[in-house]
Amino acid sequence: MKILGRVAVFPVIPERIARLHELAYNLWWSWNCPAQELYSVLDAQLWDAVDHNPVRFLSQVAPAKLEEAAGDKAYLENFDRVLEDFDHYMHPDTPTWFKQTYPELLDKPIAYFSLEFGLHEALPIYSGGLGILSGDHAKAASDLGLPFVGVGFLYPQGYFTQRIGRDGRQEAIYEKLHFSEVPATPATTPSGEEVLLWVDLPGRRVYAKVWKIQVGRIPLYLMDTDVDPNQPSDRDLSARLYGGNEEIRVSQEIVLGIGGVRALRALGINPAAWHMNEGHSAFLGLERIRELVQGEGLDFAQAREVVAAGGIFTTHTPVPAGNDAFSFEMMDKYFGNYWPQLNINRDDFLNFARQDTQWGTRFSMTVLALRTSGEHNGVSALHGEVSRKMWQFLWSGVDPEEVPIDSITNGVHTQTWLAPELEVLYARYLGSDWHEKLEDPALWEAIKTIPDKELWETHSLLKEKLIDFVHARIRRQRIELGEGTNEVQASDNLLDPKAFTIGFARRFATYKRATLIFRYADRLQKLLNDKDHPVQIVFAGKAHPADEPGKYFIQRVYQYSREVGFEGRIVFLEDYDMNMARYLVQGVDVWLNTPIRPLEASGTSGQKASLNGSPNCSILDGWWPEAYNGANGWSIGEARTYQDQETQDEADCQSLYALLENEIVPLYYDYDANGLPAKWIAIMKEAIRTVAPTFSTRRMVKDYTSLLYISAIRHALNLNAGGFRLGKELASWKALVANAWQDVSLYAHAPQDTKLALGAKVKVDAQVRLGRLKPEDVSVELVSARDDNGKLLDPKSIALTLVSGPDTNGVYQYVGESEADTGGSLVFGVRLLPSNPSLLSKHEMGLVRWA
C-alpha cells in the first residue's frame, strides 16, 4: 500500500496508572532504574524487544497486563514511589544548584548545539563519544537546574545497525525510526503552532520540522527535514547521522547552525549564551551576525563582537583532518547569496574562516567557531595543550601556552552509567542523599569503609550478568549467520565467570589501536590460556561506514575470536550501543584503552568503568593523565609523543604485555585467606574514590557554568546594553589598535647573565612609544619563567607601572619588579599587550610586542 501516515495506537491505560504515559515522554526514566522497572515488570520480554523504549512498549503491551498492574498492591506502591520522586525532581522543594548560585540569571537561557545526542538506546541518534557526552551534559544540566536547551537533529534512520558477516566484515543496516514510537512531540510556538523553519540551499528552500524531547527539566529541540514540501533528496538531509558526501555534510550543518537559530527564535527562546559542541554548528555564528546586521543596523565587525561575547566553543578533535572544512568553491555555491546579507564581500567572508591546510585553502568550521565565540575549551588538560598548539596561528603573536583555549575535562552522568546494584551499595555507605553532592571528593572517602566481601560479591554478580549477556548476544549472532547447532550451542561456553576479563569497546577508529594487543599473537595466546590464571577479552565497537581501515580492524578482531587458541577467550559483540556499554563497563575486571597519544581528546568509557569499580589500563592520553595516581589503575607506556608510529606501537605493546603478565593478572588472582583478592579490591576502591567525583558531568557542567557560561552571559549582556553601545565601541577600538599596532615600539632593561639570591628582586624598566594609542589602551608586563633545558615552566606575569610620559619623543616610562622565588635558571621578558575592560582574554586579539 502507499502509506500516507503512521500513528502509534496505545491501549487505554487504567486511570490509576495513567501517568505511565506522561512518564514515558520524559527521559528522566532513562537514568532512573525504578522508573524503567514500572514498564519492564509488566512484560520483560517485550521491554527488551523494544530496546527499553517505554513509548513503544505502551503501544504494544497487552491491555490485560495493564489492568492487572492497576490492581496489584505491590506494583502500585512502587508506582506511587516513582511518581513521587519524579514530581519532586521536576518541582523540587529546595532550589536547584543553579538557582541557589545564580538566581539573577534564571531567565537567561543557554543554548547547546550538537550534531548528536546519546540519551538512551531507544533513541539511536548518536554514533559515539561526542553524542554520549552531549546526552550526559544535558542530563547533568537538568540535575543542576540550568536554564538550558539543546538543539540538534532527530535522525529518522539514526546511526546504523551493525551486523558482522561470516568473514568478519561490518555491514551497515539503516532502519526507519518512527517518531510516533519515540518520546518526541512536535515543538510549538508560544501561540501553539508547530514549528516549521526554513533555510536556503542552492536553487531551493529547505524546510525542517522541530521536535521536542524532554530530558528531565530541560528540553531538546531536534530538527527533521523529512517533511513537505521538500524534495526527496532534501527529505534525506537529516535521515542519517554522518551519512552522505561533502554536499550533504555542508547542507546538514547549514540546517543545524542557521536553522537551529531560527528554530529557537520561532519557539520564542532568546539565549544569552550559545554553546557550540564541536564545529558542526558554527554557521549559527553567521546567522546571529546576519540578524544584527539586518535587524539592528550593526556592521559586520560590531555584530561579530556582540555575537562572540555570548559564544562558547568546545573542540573535541586533536588532529587537523578531523575538523570539518569546505572548499571555497563549495562555499561560493552555498553562501553566494548569504554573505551580501552580512554586508561584506566574498574575500572578507572566505578569509574570516580561512585555513591553509595540506589539502589546500579551506573554509574551516573550527576557525569559524573560534572567531564567533569568546570562550573556547578542549576536553581534557592534555587536549587543551594540543589544541592551543593546533590553533596558535589564529593568535600568531601569542605563545602556545597562552593561546586563549582553556580545558574542561569530560565526565560521565553517574546515574546513567552506574549499576543499580552498586547504586544500592553506595547509598548504604555514602548516605541516601549522595547524588546531591557526588562531585565532592570528600564524600567518596567512605568507599574505603565498604567491606571487601560486599564489593567483590556485587562485582561478581555484575560480571555474571555481563557473561549471560555475551552468551545471548553471540548465540543470536550465530543464528543470524546460519551457523550449525554445535556452534550455536557453544555460545554458552565462551567465557568463564571466574576468569580475568578485559573490556575494550569504543569507536573503531584506527588511532584507537584495537588490534595492538594482538601484535605478538603467540605471547597473547599464552596469556589467555594460562591454566591457573586464564584471561579473556570482550571487544565491541563500530567503524564509520566509510572507514575501511577501521572496518578491517573489526574484521581482524572477529577473525581472531574464531581461531584456535583464541576462540572462547576472545569475543566480538556486534552492534555496540548504550545498552551493551552498560553491561561492559559494569561487568569487566579492567578497562583497556590503547590510543596513539595524544590523539584521544578525552574519552569517557574508562570513567564509566572506574565508577563501577573496574580500573583502567590505559595509555596516558585524554583524561587518564589527570586521573592516574599509581594506585587506581595502570599506565601503558610513557607520557611522550613518538615521531615514528612503528616505534610507538612496539613500545606500547611491550609495556602492555609486561603489565598484564607481571602485575595485573597475578594481582587479580592473588587471593587471601578469606578467599578474596584483597589487593585487587583496594585498587577497585581507589579507582572509584578518585574517578567518581572528579570525572562526573555534575562537576563538568558546574565547571562549564562557572568558568564559561556565566562569563559569556554577563559579557553578552554588557555588550548588548544601550543599543549595543559597548559592542560598537569595542569593534571600533579593536580596529584602531589593529591599525596602530605597527607603530608601537618597546625597549626594556633587565638583569642578564647574573646571579641572584633566592627571594631577591628582579627590577626592570621599559620605554614605550604608543603612536596613536594611549596608555589605557595597553598593558606592559614583566614575564618570568623557569628555564628547564629550553622548556619554559611556571610562567608568571606582573603589570609594570607607568611612572612618566610622554616625553618630547613620545616615550612613556614603566617600571616594575618580580621576586626570584624559586631556584634554578630564570628567564625574563617584557611585553606590551592591548588592554580593554571588554576583552574576555588579554590575548584575544593575538597582538603582542616583546621588548
Side-chain angles (χ1 to χ4, degrees), residues 175 204 291 316 328 352 372 576 582 624 686 762 780:
E175 299 172 348
R204 79 267 190 204
E291 290 178 328
H316 294 260
F328 280 6
F352 187 62
T372 54
Y576 184 44
R582 286 193 296 271
W624 189 231
E686 184 68 1
V762 177
V780 184

Side-chain angles (χ1 to χ4, degrees), residues 244-255:
N245 56 27
E246 193 177 59
E247 296 236 6
I248 291 178
R249 185 65 164 235
V250 72
S251 299
Q252 279 188 336
E253 296 186 0
I254 288 171
V255 175

Side-chain angles (χ1 to χ4, degrees), residues 494-533:
L494 284 177
L495 300 180
D496 177 0
K498 301 294 185 184
F500 177 66
T501 304
I502 300 171
F504 184 101
R506 52 188 41 84
R507 184 166 54 91
F508 263 64
T510 52
Y511 79 85
K512 294 177 184 284
R513 297 191 295 184
T515 59
L516 182 68
I517 198 169
F518 296 99
R519 187 174 176 89
Y520 294 100
D522 292 345
R523 193 171 173 183
L524 178 59
Q525 278 190 20
K526 184 179 178 182
L527 190 67
L528 297 174
N529 296 294
D530 186 292
K531 183 168 169 258
D532 298 318
H533 303 149

Side-chain angles (χ1 to χ4, degrees), residues 55 70 147 164 307 328 399 425 525 560 565 567 575 601 735 824 844 848:
V55 174
I164 304 299
V307 165
F328 280 6
D399 291 338
L425 188 64
Q525 278 190 20
Y560 276 121
E567 190 165 16
D575 205 29
E844 183 175 326
V848 180

Side-chain angles (χ1 to χ4, degrees), residues 21 60 142 176 228 303 327 347 359 409 419 789 803:
H21 189 271
Q60 297 183 26
S142 169
K176 182 78 171 180
D228 286 329
S327 68
D347 288 344
W359 306 280
T409 303
N789 293 320
V803 292

Side-chain angles (χ1 to χ4, degrees), residues 27 71 77 89 139 144 196 198 201 215 246 357 378 394 440 541 586 630 636 655 763 766 772 809:
L27 269 290
E77 288 177 353
Y89 180 88
K139 293 171 185 176
L144 294 166
L196 190 69
W198 58 267
L201 295 181
V215 182
E246 193 177 59
T357 74
L394 295 175
D440 180 4
Q586 294 167 9
I636 303 169
S655 174
K763 297 183 178 181
R772 288 170 285 166
N809 294 315

